[in-house]
């Protein structure tokens, strides 16, 4: 937790409410010196007072303690290798069941129609395969998942797709 940012946030919220340090201190039952120390980032408000502080400043405890920065919450974590293995499983399905098997053909047709492409082309080209893998990772990122940028760097050999996926990571607050 960045105490300086927390202090800056308290200062901004207090001033926006038209309160002096003394006014805020009186409402919370603390001295203006305590408020001054919070605002300079020297100390943090006691946990027993945080809810009241948020109430007076008409905000949330989270908003104060994060210094006004949005805290990102991810829905799950994905592994790039797992995404790639998943695509390889489809390729293996064609080999194990046979490329003319109805189950395999329906799976391929569904992907091809849904994405307006040819997934089987990916099985013969590393570049096209990584394109599909990048799309799978990006879909998860867009849905709120977390992916480790180091994992992206390890698994994507094509610099083009590595840059695209890392760009999406940054766009979603992952560095």
């Amino acid at each position: 937790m960045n105490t300086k940012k927390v202090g800056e946030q308290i200062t901004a919220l207090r001033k926006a409410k038209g309160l002096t340090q003394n006014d805020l201190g009186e409402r919370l039952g603390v001295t203006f010196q305590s408020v001054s120390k919070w605002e300079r980032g020297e100390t943090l408000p006691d946990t027993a007072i945080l809810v009241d502080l948020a109430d007076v400043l008409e905000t949330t405890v989270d908003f104060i303690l994060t210094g006004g920065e949005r805290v990102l919450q991810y829905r799950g974590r994905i592994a790039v290798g797992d995404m790639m293995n998943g695509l390889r499983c489809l390729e293996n399905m064609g080999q194990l069941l046979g490329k003319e098997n109805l189950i395999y053909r329906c799976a391929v047709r569904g992907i091809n129609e849904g994405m307006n492409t040819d997934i089987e082309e990916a099985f013969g080209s590393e570049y096209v395969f990584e394109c599909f893998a990048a799309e799978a990772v990006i879909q998860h990122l867009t849905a709120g998942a977390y992916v480790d940028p180091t994992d992206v760097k390890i698994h994507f050999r094509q610099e083009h797709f590595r840059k695209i996926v890392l760009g999406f990571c940054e766009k979603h607050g992952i560095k």
Side-chain angles (χ1 to χ4, degrees):
M1 185 174 322
N2 186 329
T3 57
K4 185 165 176 60
K5 284 192 177 206
V6 172
E8 290 169 357
Q9 184 66 359
I10 293 171
T11 302
L13 291 167
R14 175 183 58 77
K15 287 181 177 179
K17 299 296 297 167
L19 299 172
T20 66
Q21 289 180 341
N22 196 50
D23 295 334
L24 182 58
E26 283 180 4
R27 288 191 183 187
L28 298 172
V30 299
T31 65
F32 77 89
Q33 291 94 337
S34 293
V35 175
S36 178
K37 286 182 180 182
W38 302 339
E39 292 184 358
R40 289 193 312 268
E42 292 177 13
T43 62
L44 290 171
D46 188 84
T47 55
I49 210 168
L50 280 172
V51 173
D52 291 335
L53 176 61
D55 214 29
V56 170
L57 297 177
E58 296 181 6
T59 189
T60 64
V61 171
D62 286 348
F63 195 68
I64 293 170
L65 294 180
T66 61
E69 293 181 6
R70 181 174 171 252
V71 176
L72 298 173
Q73 294 181 341
Y74 299 102
R75 285 186 241 137
R77 181 184 180 111
I78 61 166
V80 175
D82 291 345
M83 297 287 103
M84 291 181 167
N85 286 338
L87 290 170
R88 290 285 179 222
C89 284
L90 183 61
E91 179 182 21
N92 291 340
M93 182 196 300
Q95 293 169 353
L96 294 170
L97 295 176
K99 292 197 177 198
E100 298 308 316
N101 180 280
L102 182 61
I103 295 171
Y104 175 76
R105 294 292 346 137
C106 287
V108 167
R109 183 173 55 240
I111 292 168
N112 290 349
E113 288 174 6
M115 295 183 69
N116 196 27
T117 190
D118 182 3
I119 185 71
E120 289 176 303
E121 184 182 340
F123 304 146
S125 164
E126 182 179 321
Y127 186 84
V128 177
F129 180 82
E130 284 199 9
C131 178
F132 275 93
E135 178 63 29
V137 172
I138 288 167
Q139 285 179 22
H140 279 281
L141 283 166
T142 303
Y146 174 86
V147 64
D148 187 329
T150 302
D151 197 28
V152 173
K153 293 172 187 172
I154 290 169
H155 285 90
F156 282 97
R157 294 182 186 152
Q158 303 293 322
E159 183 66 24
H160 175 73
F161 296 118
R162 187 181 308 132
K163 283 182 181 178
I164 290 172
V165 174
L166 289 173
F168 269 86
C169 286
E170 280 192 40
K171 180 179 175 185
H172 290 88
I174 303 169
K175 297 178 183 173

